[in-house]
Amino acid sequence: MVRVVTDYLDISAQKYPEKIAFADENRSITFCRLQQEAWCAI
């Protein structure tokens, strides 16, 4: 059971590591990179 937002991120990073998780006019980030940055922030 997924309980916290990082669980969703971990699942997405495992299934779709190179898929774009977020993009704007200045930057884009993959699920894998977002996961790495999220866990480093903890």
Side-chain angles (χ1 to χ4, degrees):
M1 172 182 250
V2 177
R3 297 176 188 221
V4 294
V5 76
T6 53
D7 289 346
Y8 286 107
L9 181 55
D10 291 341
I11 291 166
S12 296
Q14 184 178 23
K15 287 184 177 181
Y16 316 107
E18 299 306 315
K19 188 172 182 177
I20 300 297
F22 173 81
D24 65 16
E25 61 276 348
N26 299 312
R27 180 178 181 201
S28 66
I29 189 168
T30 64
F31 280 108
C32 184
R33 184 67 183 154
L34 182 60
Q35 179 190 38
Q36 291 169 351
E37 290 188 22
W39 282 111
C40 287
I42 295 176

